[in-house]
Amino acid sequence: MSVVTLDHVTLRIGTRKVLADVSFNIEAGEFIGVLGPNGAGKTTLMRAILGLLGPESGSVKVFGLKPHRGNPVIGYLPQLRTVLPDLRVRGRDFIASSLNGERWGLPSVNQHDRGMIEETLDAVGARDLAARPLSDMSGGERQRLLLAQALIGSPKLLLLDEPLISLDARHQEVVIDVVHKVCRERKITVLFSAHELNQLLGTLDRVLYLGSGQAVLGPVDEVVTAPVLSRLYGTDIQVLRTDGHIFVMSRGRDVERTDHLHDHGHGHGHEHGHEHHH
Amino acid sequence: MFAYEFMTNAFAAAGIVAVVSGLVGYFLVMRGQTFAGHALSHIGFAGATGAGLIGLAPLWGLLAFTLAAGIVMGVLSERISNRDVAIGVVLALALGFGLLFLHYYTSFATQATALLFGNVLAVDHTMIATLAMLGVITLAALAAIMRPLIFASLQPELAEAKGVPLRFVSTAFLAIVALAVSACAQIVGVLLVFTLMVGPPAAAQRVTTGLWSGLFVSALLALAEAWLGLTMAFYTDWPVSFCIALLSALAYFATLPARTAHVHAAG
């Protein structure tokens, strides 16, 4: 049984068809790199898998069933959006807030929960983050903390929405390595969305490239080609391969690198109400 | 001091209100919604004076307007409820309406100071009972939503994915804030709600990072400020609300250094 199956799915947000008549299967244990320009549908796709957005037509199946909110089998690392000012909550309390956080009543963390938190923090090498306040953590440390949180409860499917944003190259590598190692050990299926392909080249099994309402899933060599990407980007694309790296160019400009810089160049401290739809 | 009934009444009323304010205010500070709390009390002012105009007790007008405003803010989605300018414009308008209602009922003017700055020394047994009831309802509701409230405040996107009804939780919380603000305004007045609902929690969060310790310190600090303020007012003859405001500010600024003592991580 495939982990995620899309069958002629159309996903609409407002007046826009983010994905139109898209079909593909993701198999168990695969590490899928989800790529595409802004607005291509990366976040929207994840929201559909999480049960937050129903398809306008077609069907989405997760482990053979219709998606529903709060599915314990899915671990989720949302895209970095607003950060509350002055977040002095300690790492382990931050994670504890998400354990059973959807249930009503007073918060309580029992011994078993505490053990689970320590165990996943260990697994991602973030043991030392448990007692530190979030405001004292770097971007990379915070992502590792969020990753630990996403792994609690032994999910079988992990959705990571642009986990590399605002991380420097070194931290990006650390995050990719940790995800790869843990998910291979625990046989977790991973959807890892990013803007640039090169860092993921050594880790991913297949790439899911989104654009212009379409989605193409397959090995890198089949998907990252000029004809396929030109169709997805809606413009003339050249693909340059050199020294184990791949560059997606349009008119001499690296579309992957510059496209997202333009959109995420707002920096921190900008308004809460800003929605990035992918 | 306690030989006087008006003082024991004042201590009882202020005690109830301080604990409720400290606990509810803790989440206002956590969620960065202190200005919304401030706005609710000002909007309530129009309700209070309007109620007086039609012959009802001001507290009910206060409750009605703050609840309505809180629910509207919650339902209009979090983006609107955090927009300072829009909130500021509405609260200024509400104060204007409050003034208008006062204007049509000039014998009400003596009560204006009480509404704006509180009149805890005129509290009677009925008021204490009402405040106690309000307090119980407020805290019970807060306890019921506390888990999803914290989750949604810290990680809204993940909370949504896990099935937390974000809009309902926000709206319910603002309704709880409305109740707490109405109670608090009976003691320190609509203008000084910050002293008990924001000062103590903000100080508490600078001093401790855990949830339960933060809530405990916040409530305790608010209680101490309220009761010490009353005592100070009794012996100096200064207005009670001034004393409480002074203590609240002192406590808050005293904790400012605690923050810079944190070691920041490298990289």
Side-chain angles (χ1 to χ4, degrees):
Chain A
M1 173 182 60
S2 306
V3 167
V4 175
T5 305
L6 264 72
D7 191 24
H8 296 288
V9 166
T10 297
L11 294 177
R12 180 189 286 275
I13 298 211
T15 51
R16 199 163 69 91
K17 275 193 195 172
V18 177
L19 289 182
D21 197 27
V22 155
S23 306
F24 59 78
N25 295 332
I26 296 175
E27 308 301 332
E30 287 196 284
F31 190 120
I32 307 280
V34 184
L35 296 173
N38 288 324
K42 304 194 285 290
T43 298
T44 309
L45 174 64
M46 290 193 183
R47 286 174 68 83
I49 295 174
L50 286 165
L52 293 173
L53 174 67
E56 188 183 65
S57 57
S59 76
V60 177
K61 289 240 168 34
V62 178
F63 292 103
L65 302 170
K66 206 166 150 237
H68 62 273
R69 284 170 77 189
N71 191 344
V73 143
I74 305 180
Y76 179 42
L77 205 166
Q79 194 174 44
L80 178 75
R81 294 220 195 151
T82 63
V83 176
L84 283 176
D86 243 13
L87 249 189
R88 305 178 77 236
V89 184
R90 286 175 301 209
R92 74 163 71 87
D93 293 332
F94 186 80
I95 295 184
S97 77
S98 73
L99 285 179
N100 301 319
E102 69 281 4
R103 294 213 237 127
W104 303 102
L106 291 170
S108 65
V109 188
N110 59 33
Q111 203 54 33
H112 171 72
D113 292 337
R114 253 184 269 274
M116 273 210 296
I117 296 178
E118 299 291 330
E119 194 234 351
T120 35
L121 280 174
D122 257 342
V124 302
R127 218 319 141 79
D128 59 312
L129 297 180
R132 283 182 32 210
L134 252 70
S135 47
D136 277 0
M137 290 183 200
S138 66
E141 288 172 326
R142 211 177 288 207
Q143 289 298 65
R144 262 189 296 145
L145 186 77
L146 292 177
L147 180 62
Q149 183 179 246
L151 289 169
I152 289 184
S154 309
K156 286 276 131 218
L157 170 63
L158 195 60
L159 302 178
L160 305 165
D161 197 349
E162 304 211 26
L164 305 178
I165 281 186
S166 78
L167 295 186
D168 63 30
R170 180 170 63 94
H171 287 120
Q172 289 184 357
E173 274 175 38
V174 170
V175 168
I176 294 174
D177 285 342
V178 167
V179 171
H180 188 208
K181 175 169 108 57
V182 172
C183 294
R184 207 180 27 191
E185 277 168 15
R186 300 183 179 200
K187 303 201 188 356
I188 303 177
T189 311
V190 178
L191 262 73
F192 191 120
S193 79
H195 272 280
E196 289 174 53
L197 179 58
N198 284 310
Q199 310 142 304
L200 294 173
L201 274 180
T203 4
L204 53 75
D205 295 314
R206 290 196 288 170
V207 65
L208 176 62
Y209 224 111
L210 307 177
S212 304
Q214 302 165 60
V216 180
L217 173 65
V220 171
D221 291 335
E222 285 174 29
V223 173
V224 187
T225 62
V228 171
L229 292 190
S230 297
R231 191 163 40 96
L232 292 176
Y233 275 90
T235 181
D236 229 6
I237 296 282
Q238 300 92 44
V239 175
L240 287 163
R241 283 180 157 74
T242 159
D243 197 29
H245 297 301
I246 302 182
F247 295 98
V248 179
M249 317 286 294
S250 166
R251 297 185 217 185
R253 186 176 62 99
D254 184 338
V255 274
E256 289 185 337
R257 189 166 291 253
T258 55
D259 204 22
H260 88 270
L261 273 180
H262 176 264
D263 234 57
H264 290 288
H266 294 116
H268 304 287
H270 75 272
E271 239 221 294
H272 298 222
H274 219 93
E275 284 267 314
H276 290 284
H277 280 296
H278 286 262
Chain B
M1 177 171 64
F2 291 114
Y4 299 98
E5 196 187 348
F6 74 87
M7 278 309 282
T8 51
N9 284 355
F11 264 77
I16 297 170
V17 163
V19 168
V20 171
S21 301
L23 293 174
V24 174
Y26 185 86
F27 295 98
L28 263 184
V29 175
M30 178 200 273
R31 291 165 64 80
Q33 280 188 308
T34 54
F35 193 58
H38 198 72
L40 283 182
S41 71
H42 287 58
I43 293 171
F45 177 69
T49 51
L53 198 58
I54 60 175
L56 293 173
L59 174 60
W60 305 117
L62 197 59
L63 274 170
F65 268 52
T66 53
L67 268 174
I71 291 174
V72 166
M73 270 198 234
V75 163
L76 280 185
S77 100
E78 294 196 294
R79 275 170 244 169
I80 307 291
S81 72
N82 282 355
R83 203 150 283 179
D84 289 4
V85 172
I87 294 175
V89 169
V90 172
L91 80 84
L93 177 67
L95 271 181
F97 268 106
L99 183 64
L100 180 72
F101 298 147
L102 272 184
H103 172 75
Y104 283 112
Y105 206 59
T106 47
S107 66
F108 207 69
T110 51
Q111 289 205 41
T113 317
L115 275 173
L116 289 172
F117 296 105
N119 193 10
V120 66
L121 298 179
V123 153
D124 61 11
H125 287 288
T126 319
M127 179 55 77
I128 295 177
T130 312
L131 287 175
M133 191 190 63
L134 257 182
V136 164
I137 296 175
T138 308
L139 292 182
L142 186 64
I145 68 166
M146 202 181 285
R147 225 194 315 228
L149 179 66
I150 296 175
F151 191 17
S153 307
L154 294 177
Q155 309 187 62
E157 297 88 15
L158 188 63
E160 188 193 20
K162 293 261 176 189
V164 171
L166 290 185
R167 186 164 297 186
F168 174 76
V169 169
S170 305
T171 309
F173 176 64
L174 283 172
I176 290 171
V177 172
L179 294 180
V181 158
S182 302
C184 192
Q186 303 307 307
I187 304 299
V188 288
V190 297
L191 287 185
L192 294 179
V193 158
F194 246 59
T195 58
L196 287 178
M197 283 192 76
V198 175
Q205 287 184 12
R206 278 169 143 55
V207 157
T208 174
T209 51
L211 170 71
W212 295 113
S213 52
L215 281 173
F216 180 72
V217 171
S218 179
L220 196 65
L221 201 51
L223 193 62
E225 289 169 11
W227 280 352
L228 275 172
L230 270 172
T231 312
M232 193 194 282
F234 183 81
Y235 289 109
T236 59
D237 221 19
W238 292 335
V240 177
S241 304
F242 163 71
C243 299
I244 299 181
L246 184 65
L247 290 171
S248 176
L250 282 175
Y252 174 72
F253 285 115
T255 60
L256 268 183
R259 194 160 177 261
T260 55
H262 267 277
V263 178
H264 288 276

